[in-house]
Amino acid sequence: GEPRYSMLETIQEYGMEQLSDSGGLKSAQSAHAAFFVELSADAIHFLQGGPQQQRWLLVIDREIANHRAALQASLDMGMAEPAVDLAINLWYYWSSRGLMEEGQRWLASALTLSTEVDQTLRARAMLALGNLCVERGELPAAEALYLRALDGSRIAGHELGVAQSLSFLGMVSGMQGRSEEEYNYQIDALQRCRSLGVPRGIVASLVNLAVWALNQGRFDEALVFLDQVREEQERLQDETGLTFGKAYRAYVLRSKGELDEAADLFEEAQ
């Protein structure tokens, strides 16, 4: 790996004291935060999936202490935009590493400052926090956040934010047994993502529609949605997503009673 440099904690503390005494601490912390906002922004696309996902998870692993320090400094200094940006950019990381509660704390803290940032960024933070709530089973809290994000995105005229909010609302509606709402939200989100040309948004809505169809016992419809998912993931070269798609298709086939084909697909997905 790349060489890493570190210093004793006492030397770090001394350096911070000297920066503070000279009046340079805030500018140094601002520059530090800006650097890690940029790094996390570079990482976020890859953290969502694809052939470079593991590499970027390791990059953030290596720099997580710096990200935490940048988050805390931004919050302490009331720097709303870098705090919100960092918290949003890292939500996939928190989720992937099982650190949902920590991610929730950072996002909730950043949102206390986010009245100072635009509606689009604030809505993105609510979506990220809602997603972590879902992963912890806090469904009513997640739904409330998604509705607030939808309102904020509509006010800001941010069509992608509207589509994302609708997709997540569909997901959480289905998880709470409201299947008609689930379907309507997902179809609306899918149409918007197709109009905007957002492949990952299209995949998310199609996967959610496949889940909806499976839960309704509409196995052929679920397979049609999964065929469309596979086409999008092939374009994205998302090997992890393609493997998941095979496993999920096998599950649908098994539910349909096509056991031999399901077994073959499960084996391919191993």
Side-chain angles (χ1 to χ4, degrees):
E2 297 177 1
R4 303 284 295 167
Y5 297 93
S6 61
M7 63 179 69
L8 293 172
E9 187 174 344
T10 51
I11 296 175
Q12 291 181 23
E13 290 172 355
Y14 176 75
M16 295 288 280
E17 288 173 5
Q18 293 299 301
L19 277 170
S20 181
D21 291 345
S22 68
L25 180 59
K26 186 172 181 177
S27 62
Q29 288 178 318
S30 296
H32 179 267
F35 178 86
F36 285 98
V37 167
E38 186 174 345
L39 178 62
S40 64
D42 289 342
I44 189 169
H45 171 74
F46 300 105
L47 292 175
Q48 296 176 49
Q52 297 193 57
Q53 183 183 41
Q54 288 305 311
R55 173 180 174 269
W56 278 94
L57 282 170
L58 293 173
V59 168
I60 303 300
D61 280 340
R62 192 173 65 237
E63 299 293 354
I64 194 58
N66 277 309
H67 281 97
R68 287 172 174 142
L71 273 163
Q72 191 61 59
S74 297
L75 291 169
D76 290 346
M77 292 189 291
M79 297 191 306
E81 191 163 327
V84 176
D85 272 332
L86 268 169
I88 292 169
N89 292 346
L90 290 171
W91 91 261
Y92 281 103
Y93 175 81
W94 306 127
S95 173
S96 298
R97 293 304 193 223
L99 300 169
M100 284 78 76
E101 187 174 359
E102 179 180 357
Q104 284 178 301
R105 288 198 305 270
W106 288 120
L107 280 159
S109 296
L111 276 166
T112 64
L113 300 178
S114 69
T115 53
E116 302 172 28
V117 301
D118 66 55
Q119 286 278 5
T120 299
L121 193 58
R122 183 173 172 80
R124 287 179 59 214
M126 289 177 186
L127 290 179
L129 181 54
N131 292 343
L132 293 175
C133 288
V134 166
E135 294 197 25
R136 299 192 69 211
E138 299 166 1
L139 302 184
E143 185 170 12
L145 285 160
Y146 293 152
L147 285 168
R148 289 169 64 194
L150 178 61
D151 288 343
S153 295
R154 281 177 169 157
I155 291 168
H158 186 229
E159 286 301 311
L160 178 57
V162 170
Q164 291 171 327
S165 301
L166 289 167
S167 182
F168 290 133
L169 279 165
M171 175 188 68
V172 80
S173 295
M175 294 173 78
Q176 295 176 94
R178 304 198 308 269
S179 61
E180 185 175 352
E181 285 182 41
E182 175 186 15
Y183 177 80
N184 290 334
Y185 276 132
Q186 294 298 349
I187 287 293
D188 194 351
L190 177 61
Q191 291 170 344
R192 290 171 186 270
C193 286
R194 281 182 167 154
S195 176
L196 292 166
V198 183
R200 292 192 184 280
I202 294 169
V203 167
S205 291
L206 286 169
V207 168
N208 289 334
L209 283 164
V211 171
W212 169 84
L214 175 63
N215 290 338
Q216 303 304 305
R218 300 165 78 154
F219 305 125
D220 289 336
E221 285 183 55
L223 292 171
V224 169
F225 287 130
L226 289 173
D227 284 342
Q228 295 174 64
V229 170
R230 183 179 63 234
E231 291 171 6
E232 294 294 336
Q233 288 169 330
E234 285 173 349
R235 279 193 282 270
L236 290 167
Q237 297 183 313
D238 183 356
E239 293 301 324
T240 301
L242 285 165
T243 299
F244 165 81
K246 287 179 183 178
Y248 200 79
R249 186 180 186 85
Y251 184 77
V252 174
L253 289 168
R254 188 175 68 181
S255 300
K256 192 181 177 186
E258 298 181 13
L259 303 183
D260 290 342
E261 190 175 350
D264 291 341
L265 268 178
F266 270 127
E267 188 174 343
E268 283 184 36
Q270 296 302 313

